[in-house]
Amino acid sequence: AERLYIEDCPKLEEVNHFFEKEGDNIIYKIPSKEFTGKVDFSGCSRINIVEMPENMQEIPDQALYTWNNVKEVRLPDTVTKIGKEAFAYCSNLEKINLPDGLAFIEGKAFSNCRKLTEILLPESLRDIKVDGFEGTGITSAEIPSECQLGEGVFSACSNLKDITIRGKDITITPY
């Protein structure tokens, strides 16, 4: 893949930021597992895919909060927790892979990601906190049987047609 430096990202001060081109997409490869989520992406209008670092275990609170240009997020298989509001208000987020070892999704993690219409929740998931997917474009959800749901996990999801609890003969259809 072609390595790029994106000049329209003036706030990225560290020299160890990596960009690659994949077709028409520009991928931002976050450089280290110590990523704190405190990167200023303002002005980075050309980047639309973010790849989290290998061996990262937790996505920090507000990691990509309100970053509207991101369309896809690639998580490594090592992620076990997604922090509070990690991807909240990423209004163009369409795709994210949730790894098989993911156990916890904190409150409002995907709040108002309106273009996020499909999500595959792994069997390892144990807890989705308050408003985890509120206001998303999700059309259906299949919840692992051992997963605890916080209040309003799917509130304001106007496209949601049904929720199924895996391993149980339960389907919930919103009114």
PDB file of all heavy atoms in Angstrom, residues 130-162:
ATOM      1  N   VAL A 130     -25.905   1.954  29.224  1.00  0.00           N
ATOM      2  CA  VAL A 130     -26.983   2.893  28.895  1.00  0.00           C
ATOM      3  C   VAL A 130     -26.754   3.578  27.546  1.00  0.00           C
ATOM      4  O   VAL A 130     -25.670   4.098  27.282  1.00  0.00           O
ATOM      5  CB  VAL A 130     -27.111   3.960  30.010  1.00  0.00           C
ATOM      6  CG1 VAL A 130     -28.126   5.026  29.646  1.00  0.00           C
ATOM      7  CG2 VAL A 130     -27.481   3.303  31.323  1.00  0.00           C
ATOM      8  N   ASP A 131     -27.793   3.549  26.708  1.00  0.00           N
ATOM      9  CA  ASP A 131     -27.799   4.247  25.412  1.00  0.00           C
ATOM     10  C   ASP A 131     -26.652   3.831  24.484  1.00  0.00           C
ATOM     11  O   ASP A 131     -26.225   4.614  23.632  1.00  0.00           O
ATOM     12  CB  ASP A 131     -27.767   5.768  25.601  1.00  0.00           C
ATOM     13  CG  ASP A 131     -28.997   6.299  26.323  1.00  0.00           C
ATOM     14  OD1 ASP A 131     -30.062   5.666  26.232  1.00  0.00           O
ATOM     15  OD2 ASP A 131     -28.887   7.344  26.980  1.00  0.00           O
ATOM     16  N   GLY A 132     -26.152   2.623  24.609  1.00  0.00           N
ATOM     17  CA  GLY A 132     -25.017   2.148  23.827  1.00  0.00           C
ATOM     18  C   GLY A 132     -25.144   2.366  22.325  1.00  0.00           C
ATOM     19  O   GLY A 132     -24.193   2.754  21.663  1.00  0.00           O
ATOM     20  N   PHE A 133     -26.351   2.107  21.792  1.00  0.00           N
ATOM     21  CA  PHE A 133     -26.577   2.256  20.352  1.00  0.00           C
ATOM     22  C   PHE A 133     -27.720   3.227  20.057  1.00  0.00           C
ATOM     23  O   PHE A 133     -28.311   3.172  18.985  1.00  0.00           O
ATOM     24  CB  PHE A 133     -26.887   0.890  19.724  1.00  0.00           C
ATOM     25  CG  PHE A 133     -25.708  -0.031  19.679  1.00  0.00           C
ATOM     26  CD1 PHE A 133     -25.490  -0.949  20.691  1.00  0.00           C
ATOM     27  CD2 PHE A 133     -24.805   0.028  18.636  1.00  0.00           C
ATOM     28  CE1 PHE A 133     -24.401  -1.805  20.658  1.00  0.00           C
ATOM     29  CE2 PHE A 133     -23.702  -0.820  18.586  1.00  0.00           C
ATOM     30  CZ  PHE A 133     -23.507  -1.745  19.607  1.00  0.00           C
ATOM     31  N   GLU A 134     -28.026   4.117  20.970  1.00  0.00           N
ATOM     32  CA  GLU A 134     -29.153   5.035  20.776  1.00  0.00           C
ATOM     33  C   GLU A 134     -28.974   5.891  19.527  1.00  0.00           C
ATOM     34  O   GLU A 134     -27.876   6.324  19.198  1.00  0.00           O
ATOM     35  CB  GLU A 134     -29.346   5.950  21.993  1.00  0.00           C
ATOM     36  CG  GLU A 134     -28.252   6.961  22.127  1.00  0.00           C
ATOM     37  CD  GLU A 134     -28.680   8.272  22.759  1.00  0.00           C
ATOM     38  OE1 GLU A 134     -29.872   8.573  22.830  1.00  0.00           O
ATOM     39  OE2 GLU A 134     -27.779   8.993  23.177  1.00  0.00           O
ATOM     40  N   GLY A 135     -30.048   6.070  18.793  1.00  0.00           N
ATOM     41  CA  GLY A 135     -30.034   6.955  17.644  1.00  0.00           C
ATOM     42  C   GLY A 135     -29.246   6.447  16.447  1.00  0.00           C
ATOM     43  O   GLY A 135     -28.940   7.221  15.541  1.00  0.00           O
ATOM     44  N   THR A 136     -28.910   5.145  16.423  1.00  0.00           N
ATOM     45  CA  THR A 136     -28.213   4.597  15.258  1.00  0.00           C
ATOM     46  C   THR A 136     -29.226   4.200  14.192  1.00  0.00           C
ATOM     47  O   THR A 136     -30.431   4.213  14.431  1.00  0.00           O
ATOM     48  CB  THR A 136     -27.368   3.349  15.631  1.00  0.00           C
ATOM     49  OG1 THR A 136     -28.239   2.326  16.101  1.00  0.00           O
ATOM     50  CG2 THR A 136     -26.306   3.678  16.658  1.00  0.00           C
ATOM     51  N   GLY A 137     -28.739   3.791  13.034  1.00  0.00           N
ATOM     52  CA  GLY A 137     -29.605   3.348  11.949  1.00  0.00           C
ATOM     53  C   GLY A 137     -29.818   1.842  11.939  1.00  0.00           C
ATOM     54  O   GLY A 137     -30.315   1.289  10.955  1.00  0.00           O
ATOM     55  N   ILE A 138     -29.457   1.176  13.025  1.00  0.00           N
ATOM     56  CA  ILE A 138     -29.557  -0.288  13.111  1.00  0.00           C
ATOM     57  C   ILE A 138     -30.976  -0.748  12.801  1.00  0.00           C
ATOM     58  O   ILE A 138     -31.953  -0.190  13.308  1.00  0.00           O
ATOM     59  CB  ILE A 138     -29.098  -0.784  14.492  1.00  0.00           C
ATOM     60  CG1 ILE A 138     -27.598  -0.568  14.631  1.00  0.00           C
ATOM     61  CG2 ILE A 138     -29.464  -2.236  14.711  1.00  0.00           C
ATOM     62  CD1 ILE A 138     -27.034  -0.939  15.973  1.00  0.00           C
ATOM     63  N   THR A 139     -31.082  -1.796  11.959  1.00  0.00           N
ATOM     64  CA  THR A 139     -32.394  -2.321  11.547  1.00  0.00           C
ATOM     65  C   THR A 139     -32.791  -3.560  12.336  1.00  0.00           C
ATOM     66  O   THR A 139     -33.982  -3.826  12.479  1.00  0.00           O
ATOM     67  CB  THR A 139     -32.401  -2.658  10.046  1.00  0.00           C
ATOM     68  OG1 THR A 139     -31.350  -3.579   9.771  1.00  0.00           O
ATOM     69  CG2 THR A 139     -32.208  -1.394   9.211  1.00  0.00           C
ATOM     70  N   SER A 140     -31.824  -4.315  12.841  1.00  0.00           N
ATOM     71  CA  SER A 140     -32.126  -5.478  13.689  1.00  0.00           C
ATOM     72  C   SER A 140     -30.927  -5.752  14.572  1.00  0.00           C
ATOM     73  O   SER A 140     -29.802  -5.340  14.260  1.00  0.00           O
ATOM     74  CB  SER A 140     -32.466  -6.714  12.846  1.00  0.00           C
ATOM     75  OG  SER A 140     -31.343  -7.147  12.135  1.00  0.00           O
ATOM     76  N   ALA A 141     -31.161  -6.447  15.663  1.00  0.00           N
ATOM     77  CA  ALA A 141     -30.083  -6.766  16.594  1.00  0.00           C
ATOM     78  C   ALA A 141     -30.279  -8.170  17.126  1.00  0.00           C
ATOM     79  O   ALA A 141     -31.401  -8.564  17.462  1.00  0.00           O
ATOM     80  CB  ALA A 141     -30.052  -5.768  17.740  1.00  0.00           C
ATOM     81  N   GLU A 142     -29.176  -8.893  17.206  1.00  0.00           N
ATOM     82  CA  GLU A 142     -29.184 -10.228  17.790  1.00  0.00           C
ATOM     83  C   GLU A 142     -28.264 -10.167  19.003  1.00  0.00           C
ATOM     84  O   GLU A 142     -27.053 -10.013  18.875  1.00  0.00           O
ATOM     85  CB  GLU A 142     -28.679 -11.236  16.759  1.00  0.00           C
ATOM     86  CG  GLU A 142     -29.034 -12.640  17.110  1.00  0.00           C
ATOM     87  CD  GLU A 142     -28.675 -13.623  16.016  1.00  0.00           C
ATOM     88  OE1 GLU A 142     -29.115 -13.405  14.864  1.00  0.00           O
ATOM     89  OE2 GLU A 142     -27.942 -14.579  16.303  1.00  0.00           O
ATOM     90  N   ILE A 143     -28.869 -10.262  20.186  1.00  0.00           N
ATOM     91  CA  ILE A 143     -28.150 -10.074  21.445  1.00  0.00           C
ATOM     92  C   ILE A 143     -27.660 -11.431  21.972  1.00  0.00           C
ATOM     93  O   ILE A 143     -28.445 -12.375  22.041  1.00  0.00           O
ATOM     94  CB  ILE A 143     -29.074  -9.434  22.515  1.00  0.00           C
ATOM     95  CG1 ILE A 143     -29.809  -8.209  21.968  1.00  0.00           C
ATOM     96  CG2 ILE A 143     -28.311  -9.124  23.791  1.00  0.00           C
ATOM     97  CD1 ILE A 143     -28.952  -7.050  21.617  1.00  0.00           C
ATOM     98  N   PRO A 144     -26.393 -11.537  22.397  1.00  0.00           N
ATOM     99  CA  PRO A 144     -25.923 -12.779  23.025  1.00  0.00           C
ATOM    100  C   PRO A 144     -26.731 -13.080  24.287  1.00  0.00           C
ATOM    101  O   PRO A 144     -27.123 -12.159  25.013  1.00  0.00           O
ATOM    102  CB  PRO A 144     -24.464 -12.476  23.371  1.00  0.00           C
ATOM    103  CG  PRO A 144     -24.071 -11.360  22.463  1.00  0.00           C
ATOM    104  CD  PRO A 144     -25.320 -10.551  22.257  1.00  0.00           C
ATOM    105  N   SER A 145     -26.983 -14.334  24.554  1.00  0.00           N
ATOM    106  CA  SER A 145     -27.863 -14.729  25.662  1.00  0.00           C
ATOM    107  C   SER A 145     -27.360 -14.296  27.033  1.00  0.00           C
ATOM    108  O   SER A 145     -28.151 -14.064  27.937  1.00  0.00           O
ATOM    109  CB  SER A 145     -28.095 -16.246  25.647  1.00  0.00           C
ATOM    110  OG  SER A 145     -26.860 -16.915  25.781  1.00  0.00           O
ATOM    111  N   GLU A 146     -26.063 -14.146  27.219  1.00  0.00           N
ATOM    112  CA  GLU A 146     -25.508 -13.765  28.523  1.00  0.00           C
ATOM    113  C   GLU A 146     -25.264 -12.258  28.666  1.00  0.00           C
ATOM    114  O   GLU A 146     -24.697 -11.814  29.648  1.00  0.00           O
ATOM    115  CB  GLU A 146     -24.191 -14.515  28.767  1.00  0.00           C
ATOM    116  CG  GLU A 146     -24.329 -16.024  28.738  1.00  0.00           C
ATOM    117  CD  GLU A 146     -25.257 -16.568  29.810  1.00  0.00           C
ATOM    118  OE1 GLU A 146     -25.188 -16.074  30.960  1.00  0.00           O
ATOM    119  OE2 GLU A 146     -26.060 -17.451  29.494  1.00  0.00           O
ATOM    120  N   CYS A 147     -25.687 -11.480  27.708  1.00  0.00           N
ATOM    121  CA  CYS A 147     -25.404 -10.041  27.699  1.00  0.00           C
ATOM    122  C   CYS A 147     -26.437  -9.253  28.505  1.00  0.00           C
ATOM    123  O   CYS A 147     -27.646  -9.438  28.338  1.00  0.00           O
ATOM    124  CB  CYS A 147     -25.379  -9.539  26.257  1.00  0.00           C
ATOM    125  SG  CYS A 147     -24.888  -7.808  26.103  1.00  0.00           S
ATOM    126  N   GLN A 148     -25.954  -8.380  29.372  1.00  0.00           N
ATOM    127  CA  GLN A 148     -26.814  -7.481  30.138  1.00  0.00           C
ATOM    128  C   GLN A 148     -26.989  -6.188  29.330  1.00  0.00           C
ATOM    129  O   GLN A 148     -26.025  -5.674  28.784  1.00  0.00           O
ATOM    130  CB  GLN A 148     -26.170  -7.140  31.490  1.00  0.00           C
ATOM    131  CG  GLN A 148     -25.920  -8.332  32.378  1.00  0.00           C
ATOM    132  CD  GLN A 148     -27.224  -8.941  32.843  1.00  0.00           C
ATOM    133  OE1 GLN A 148     -28.123  -8.247  33.292  1.00  0.00           O
ATOM    134  NE2 GLN A 148     -27.332 -10.255  32.725  1.00  0.00           N
ATOM    135  N   LEU A 149     -28.204  -5.679  29.301  1.00  0.00           N
ATOM    136  CA  LEU A 149     -28.492  -4.455  28.551  1.00  0.00           C
ATOM    137  C   LEU A 149     -28.832  -3.316  29.501  1.00  0.00           C
ATOM    138  O   LEU A 149     -29.704  -3.452  30.354  1.00  0.00           O
ATOM    139  CB  LEU A 149     -29.664  -4.673  27.590  1.00  0.00           C
ATOM    140  CG  LEU A 149     -29.500  -5.757  26.528  1.00  0.00           C
ATOM    141  CD1 LEU A 149     -30.764  -5.878  25.694  1.00  0.00           C
ATOM    142  CD2 LEU A 149     -28.303  -5.461  25.647  1.00  0.00           C
ATOM    143  N   GLY A 150     -28.171  -2.196  29.332  1.00  0.00           N
ATOM    144  CA  GLY A 150     -28.485  -1.008  30.104  1.00  0.00           C
ATOM    145  C   GLY A 150     -29.745  -0.350  29.561  1.00  0.00           C
ATOM    146  O   GLY A 150     -30.247  -0.706  28.491  1.00  0.00           O
ATOM    147  N   GLU A 151     -30.226   0.621  30.270  1.00  0.00           N
ATOM    148  CA  GLU A 151     -31.441   1.332  29.878  1.00  0.00           C
ATOM    149  C   GLU A 151     -31.239   2.055  28.545  1.00  0.00           C
ATOM    150  O   GLU A 151     -30.200   2.659  28.298  1.00  0.00           O
ATOM    151  CB  GLU A 151     -31.794   2.349  30.964  1.00  0.00           C
ATOM    152  CG  GLU A 151     -33.134   3.010  30.757  1.00  0.00           C
ATOM    153  CD  GLU A 151     -33.488   3.924  31.920  1.00  0.00           C
ATOM    154  OE1 GLU A 151     -33.200   3.566  33.070  1.00  0.00           O
ATOM    155  OE2 GLU A 151     -34.050   4.990  31.643  1.00  0.00           O
ATOM    156  N   GLY A 152     -32.215   1.967  27.671  1.00  0.00           N
ATOM    157  CA  GLY A 152     -32.222   2.720  26.424  1.00  0.00           C
ATOM    158  C   GLY A 152     -31.157   2.337  25.408  1.00  0.00           C
ATOM    159  O   GLY A 152     -30.800   3.155  24.560  1.00  0.00           O
ATOM    160  N   VAL A 153     -30.652   1.104  25.471  1.00  0.00           N
ATOM    161  CA  VAL A 153     -29.574   0.681  24.582  1.00  0.00           C
ATOM    162  C   VAL A 153     -29.908   0.965  23.113  1.00  0.00           C
ATOM    163  O   VAL A 153     -29.060   1.405  22.353  1.00  0.00           O
ATOM    164  CB  VAL A 153     -29.224  -0.814  24.782  1.00  0.00           C
ATOM    165  CG1 VAL A 153     -28.342  -1.338  23.659  1.00  0.00           C
ATOM    166  CG2 VAL A 153     -28.539  -1.014  26.122  1.00  0.00           C
ATOM    167  N   PHE A 154     -31.150   0.744  22.718  1.00  0.00           N
ATOM    168  CA  PHE A 154     -31.563   0.971  21.334  1.00  0.00           C
ATOM    169  C   PHE A 154     -32.617   2.082  21.217  1.00  0.00           C
ATOM    170  O   PHE A 154     -33.391   2.098  20.277  1.00  0.00           O
ATOM    171  CB  PHE A 154     -32.092  -0.327  20.711  1.00  0.00           C
ATOM    172  CG  PHE A 154     -31.053  -1.408  20.617  1.00  0.00           C
ATOM    173  CD1 PHE A 154     -31.061  -2.484  21.495  1.00  0.00           C
ATOM    174  CD2 PHE A 154     -30.042  -1.340  19.667  1.00  0.00           C
ATOM    175  CE1 PHE A 154     -30.108  -3.480  21.410  1.00  0.00           C
ATOM    176  CE2 PHE A 154     -29.080  -2.331  19.574  1.00  0.00           C
ATOM    177  CZ  PHE A 154     -29.115  -3.407  20.452  1.00  0.00           C
ATOM    178  N   SER A 155     -32.622   3.010  22.155  1.00  0.00           N
ATOM    179  CA  SER A 155     -33.616   4.088  22.098  1.00  0.00           C
ATOM    180  C   SER A 155     -33.360   4.976  20.876  1.00  0.00           C
ATOM    181  O   SER A 155     -32.229   5.126  20.415  1.00  0.00           O
ATOM    182  CB  SER A 155     -33.580   4.928  23.378  1.00  0.00           C
ATOM    183  OG  SER A 155     -32.352   5.595  23.500  1.00  0.00           O
ATOM    184  N   ALA A 156     -34.413   5.534  20.337  1.00  0.00           N
ATOM    185  CA  ALA A 156     -34.368   6.441  19.177  1.00  0.00           C
ATOM    186  C   ALA A 156     -33.771   5.788  17.931  1.00  0.00           C
ATOM    187  O   ALA A 156     -33.232   6.472  17.060  1.00  0.00           O
ATOM    188  CB  ALA A 156     -33.626   7.735  19.525  1.00  0.00           C
ATOM    189  N   CYS A 157     -33.855   4.465  17.837  1.00  0.00           N
ATOM    190  CA  CYS A 157     -33.419   3.739  16.635  1.00  0.00           C
ATOM    191  C   CYS A 157     -34.664   3.530  15.772  1.00  0.00           C
ATOM    192  O   CYS A 157     -35.313   2.487  15.826  1.00  0.00           O
ATOM    193  CB  CYS A 157     -32.790   2.398  17.004  1.00  0.00           C
ATOM    194  SG  CYS A 157     -31.217   2.541  17.866  1.00  0.00           S
ATOM    195  N   SER A 158     -34.987   4.522  14.979  1.00  0.00           N
ATOM    196  CA  SER A 158     -36.254   4.511  14.246  1.00  0.00           C
ATOM    197  C   SER A 158     -36.322   3.443  13.158  1.00  0.00           C
ATOM    198  O   SER A 158     -37.407   3.078  12.717  1.00  0.00           O
ATOM    199  CB  SER A 158     -36.523   5.888  13.637  1.00  0.00           C
ATOM    200  OG  SER A 158     -35.453   6.265  12.811  1.00  0.00           O
ATOM    201  N   ASN A 159     -35.180   2.895  12.734  1.00  0.00           N
ATOM    202  CA  ASN A 159     -35.178   1.847  11.710  1.00  0.00           C
ATOM    203  C   ASN A 159     -35.204   0.437  12.287  1.00  0.00           C
ATOM    204  O   ASN A 159     -35.294  -0.535  11.549  1.00  0.00           O
ATOM    205  CB  ASN A 159     -33.937   1.977  10.811  1.00  0.00           C
ATOM    206  CG  ASN A 159     -33.926   3.274  10.048  1.00  0.00           C
ATOM    207  OD1 ASN A 159     -34.959   3.816   9.714  1.00  0.00           O
ATOM    208  ND2 ASN A 159     -32.737   3.788   9.782  1.00  0.00           N
ATOM    209  N   LEU A 160     -35.119   0.319  13.610  1.00  0.00           N
ATOM    210  CA  LEU A 160     -35.049  -0.989  14.262  1.00  0.00           C
ATOM    211  C   LEU A 160     -36.365  -1.743  14.112  1.00  0.00           C
ATOM    212  O   LEU A 160     -37.416  -1.262  14.513  1.00  0.00           O
ATOM    213  CB  LEU A 160     -34.700  -0.816  15.740  1.00  0.00           C
ATOM    214  CG  LEU A 160     -34.420  -2.083  16.533  1.00  0.00           C
ATOM    215  CD1 LEU A 160     -33.214  -2.827  15.971  1.00  0.00           C
ATOM    216  CD2 LEU A 160     -34.180  -1.732  17.995  1.00  0.00           C
ATOM    217  N   LYS A 161     -36.291  -2.937  13.511  1.00  0.00           N
ATOM    218  CA  LYS A 161     -37.483  -3.753  13.272  1.00  0.00           C
ATOM    219  C   LYS A 161     -37.653  -4.852  14.319  1.00  0.00           C
ATOM    220  O   LYS A 161     -38.760  -5.158  14.727  1.00  0.00           O
ATOM    221  CB  LYS A 161     -37.427  -4.400  11.879  1.00  0.00           C
ATOM    222  CG  LYS A 161     -37.266  -3.400  10.745  1.00  0.00           C
ATOM    223  CD  LYS A 161     -38.551  -2.644  10.469  1.00  0.00           C
ATOM    224  CE  LYS A 161     -38.420  -1.761   9.264  1.00  0.00           C
ATOM    225  NZ  LYS A 161     -38.216  -0.362   9.531  1.00  0.00           N
ATOM    226  N   ASP A 162     -36.548  -5.493  14.719  1.00  0.00           N
ATOM    227  CA  ASP A 162     -36.654  -6.548  15.726  1.00  0.00           C
ATOM    228  C   ASP A 162     -35.337  -6.765  16.461  1.00  0.00           C
ATOM    229  O   ASP A 162     -34.269  -6.462  15.957  1.00  0.00           O
ATOM    230  CB  ASP A 162     -37.148  -7.874  15.114  1.00  0.00           C
ATOM    231  CG  ASP A 162     -36.191  -8.415  14.076  1.00  0.00           C
ATOM    232  OD1 ASP A 162     -35.227  -9.110  14.461  1.00  0.00           O
ATOM    233  OD2 ASP A 162     -36.398  -8.131  12.893  1.00  0.00           O
TER     234      ASP A 162
END
